[in-house]
Amino acid sequence: APMELTTVPLLGTPLAITDYQGLLEMLPELTRRNQTAAIDFCNTQIVTMRRIDPAFRAVTAVYDYFIPDGMPLIWCLRAMGATIHDRIYGPSFMRHAFVHEKKLTHYFLGGSELSLLKLREQARVLSGGQFQLVGARDGYQPPSEHQTTLDEINRLSPDVIWIGLGTPKQQQWIHDNKHRIARGVLLAVGFAFDVNAGTKRDAPAWMQKLGLTWIFRISQEPGRLLKRYLKYNTGFVALILIDLARHAFKSLTRSRS
């Protein structure tokens, strides 16, 4: 029987309750199904966008699993009584797979030529040459090349396709192409390509633990990220508070009636 992950809905997004090893062990299971599976590593921005933006919710409806990748999501899940100890952070999951995954075949789509080169090297070193990478393409192809990429993926038939195109580009790509790919697991990991290639710096561990990764990311790329993070992080907090208030009001009126 296929393994099913327990999910807990947060602002309308069903977040999967699992850990690094649990998710890794699920991959072979998913590759044996006769249709393509899609997994999103999900932060507060994605949860918020899925709640407030119907178009984005429609785009992300093709996902099979949403994996909680941000600490604030973990705090909320715990507050709701879920037994979950840590987030599953895209970059760390990719590294975990390099070290522990020996059976499946993999394909990289995303990043620059340079980051792909460094990522291949990192995968080779961490896996002692046992990580089976069957193909890779950078994320900067013109639309005229998209069909070539799809043909290559279907020809090579990799078990796992890592997609690092950034949000919302990777979600759109998966929405447009999931049904065109014969088999395998699509993993939307965004920033994981740059972090593991060493082309972008990641937040120090203490900041990650405190859920402050976004502050570090803004400091690295203020032009690109400041507005985005402020909008979605404040949006997330506001929506959680509205939901709590609504819930409290309901319980209050129920207890009065």
Side-chain angles (χ1 to χ4, degrees), residues 86-158:
D86 199 3
R87 64 175 181 164
I88 303 182
Y89 185 42
S92 304
F93 182 72
M94 192 180 222
R95 226 172 7 256
H96 186 79
F98 289 169
V99 176
H100 299 286
E101 208 299 294
K102 313 276 193 255
K103 296 183 190 76
L104 305 175
T105 54
H106 300 264
Y107 187 97
F108 292 157
L109 174 63
S112 61
E113 282 289 337
L114 174 69
S115 77
L116 279 182
L117 204 69
K118 293 182 159 183
L119 198 58
R120 278 173 182 243
E121 181 55 16
Q122 184 74 340
R124 196 184 61 75
V125 170
L126 287 176
S127 70
Q130 296 203 290
F131 188 80
Q132 303 175 59
L133 185 67
V134 292
R137 286 205 158 219
D138 70 71
Y140 296 95
Q141 304 146 30
S144 58
E145 298 253 315
H146 287 175
Q147 193 52 51
T148 320
T149 304
L150 285 174
D151 292 345
E152 179 174 87
I153 289 171
N154 281 321
R155 191 182 77 248
L156 295 167
S157 187

Side-chain angles (χ1 to χ4, degrees), residues 185-232:
V185 185
L186 301 165
L187 293 176
V189 290
F191 189 51
F193 275 56
D194 287 325
V195 168
N196 286 309
T199 48
K200 283 187 185 168
R201 288 176 57 208
D202 203 359
W206 68 268
M207 283 186 95
Q208 293 190 31
K209 245 192 186 60
L210 293 173
L212 301 175
T213 305
W214 59 282
I215 292 178
F216 183 85
R217 295 276 317 268
I218 289 172
S219 76
Q220 299 292 301
E221 299 180 73
R224 192 169 78 86
L225 297 175
L226 180 64
K227 230 164 80 187
R228 183 209 287 189
Y229 277 122
L230 290 181
K231 176 180 172 183
Y232 292 113

Side-chain angles (χ1 to χ4, degrees), residues 28-41:
E29 168 80 50
L30 292 172
T31 62
R32 286 194 289 273
R33 296 186 187 177
N34 47 12
Q35 81 259 35
T36 313
I39 294 176
D40 197 41
F41 287 79

Side-chain angles (χ1 to χ4, degrees), residues 160-178:
V160 183
I161 301 141
W162 300 81
I163 298 170
L165 302 171
T167 296
K169 209 171 143 190
Q170 60 197 13
Q171 283 82 4
Q172 190 65 52
W173 192 92
I174 288 173
H175 173 268
D176 297 345
N177 298 302
K178 183 189 181 198

